[in-house]
Amino acid sequence: MKKTLRIASIAFVALIALLFVFYLLKNEKEPEGQTGPEADELAMKMMESLNYEVWQNTTHIGWTFKGIHHYEWNRQEHIVNVQWDEHEVILNPTDKSGIVQSGENYSSQQINELIETAWNFFNNDSFWLCAPFKAFDPGTERSIVQLKDGRQGLKVTYTSGGSTPGDSYVWILDENYRPVAVKMWVSILPLGGMEFTWENYKTIAPGAMIAQDHFLYGSVNITIDSLR
């Protein structure tokens, strides 16, 4: 018994040490950027590479986030049908109001909690859908940072709005200014500078481009499925 406990203790200490080393290797300090017209121009080039003007005129889009949250977004009316588990909410993200389907089965407190949950889901999941198009959202600040390979990266900081104001993202762009990855400094992630790919683009009607896969360390994938 004592031997088993000793082995378990050693394994636990080794795991803590491994996690500490991983943290030291992977955690990055948030880079400081240079704001100004050049940063705004780079942001516009990024959005235009994905047909931003077409996206602005896209009136409806549906998708599934990681196979668990399902959306039908009427962008013209800015009304979203959000479905998960056995729940369905017709959400107005602008004022965080909504209608819970089968609402008679819930208390007023439960209804409010479901609407709040739908709003948080939509804020997060729509970011993975169309984050490059949000570089000029109210409360954003754009700046240019120097990447390790010498190229310029576009840093977008959300100074207000959304679920987690203060988060920053550095977009890594290819030679055509199309996003290929993003590094994140966000409150919900344990490490600064975690990098997710932005790949497997699909052109939706009438022509905007959406990345369907976002890999972390080549294994974990944040998927956008059933685009329509």
Side-chain angles (χ1 to χ4, degrees):
M1 182 65 177
K2 289 183 178 179
K3 183 177 180 181
T4 301
L5 290 175
R6 183 169 178 272
I7 293 173
S9 298
I10 293 173
F12 178 74
V13 171
L15 176 61
I16 295 299
L18 182 63
L19 290 174
F20 181 68
V21 171
F22 182 82
Y23 178 83
L24 291 178
L25 291 174
K26 293 297 184 180
N27 189 56
E28 297 182 22
K29 182 180 178 181
E30 182 177 336
E32 294 186 7
Q34 182 66 46
T35 60
E38 187 179 355
D40 290 348
E41 181 181 357
L42 183 59
M44 283 304 305
K45 286 180 177 178
M46 175 183 71
M47 295 195 300
E48 288 170 356
S49 75
L50 304 177
N51 296 328
Y52 173 67
E53 185 175 345
V54 174
W55 168 256
Q56 287 295 86
N57 295 320
T58 300
T59 59
H60 176 272
I61 186 170
W63 80 99
T64 297
F65 178 78
K66 293 180 63 177
I68 54 176
H69 303 157
H70 311 281
Y71 297 92
E72 296 291 339
W73 184 6
N74 183 332
R75 298 187 68 246
Q76 194 168 23
E77 302 293 334
H78 202 32
I79 299 295
V80 191
N81 182 295
V82 187
Q83 297 182 40
W84 74 99
D85 298 333
E86 73 279 11
H87 306 301
E88 181 178 356
V89 175
I90 310 301
L91 177 71
N92 183 337
T94 304
D95 59 11
K96 295 177 65 173
S97 63
I99 299 172
V100 176
Q101 299 293 71
S102 303
E104 66 275 6
N105 297 327
Y106 303 98
S107 67
S108 58
Q109 180 179 343
Q110 288 174 318
I111 288 174
N112 290 335
E113 289 174 351
L114 286 170
I115 293 172
E116 179 75 15
T117 297
W119 185 77
N120 284 321
F121 282 167
F122 176 73
N123 266 343
N124 177 77
D125 301 354
S126 63
F127 180 89
W128 292 96
L129 175 81
C130 59
F133 296 131
K134 298 171 66 65
F136 286 89
D137 276 10
T140 56
E141 178 183 82
R142 293 150 300 283
S143 59
I144 290 179
V145 300
Q146 198 75 13
L147 301 175
K148 291 181 179 179
D149 62 4
R151 292 181 299 162
Q152 291 183 332
L154 173 68
K155 180 180 176 182
V156 179
T157 299
Y158 291 79
T159 60
S160 63
S163 301
T164 54
D167 292 348
S168 291
Y169 305 81
V170 172
W171 291 98
I172 301 170
L173 313 176
D174 67 12
E175 64 277 8
N176 297 313
Y177 304 103
R178 184 177 301 171
V180 295
V182 63
K183 298 174 77 71
M184 301 186 179
W185 283 263
V186 299
S187 58
I188 63 172
L189 294 178
L191 299 175
M194 294 181 73
E195 183 176 323
F196 293 83
T197 65
W198 219 261
E199 59 182 282
N200 188 20
Y201 281 92
K202 179 178 180 178
T203 301
I204 60 170
M209 300 179 68
I210 303 293
Q212 300 175 99
D213 292 316
H214 311 91
F215 284 95
L216 172 67
Y217 304 137
S219 55
V220 179
N221 189 11
I222 307 296
T223 60
I224 300 293
D225 304 311
S226 305
L227 274 170
R228 54 198 178 277

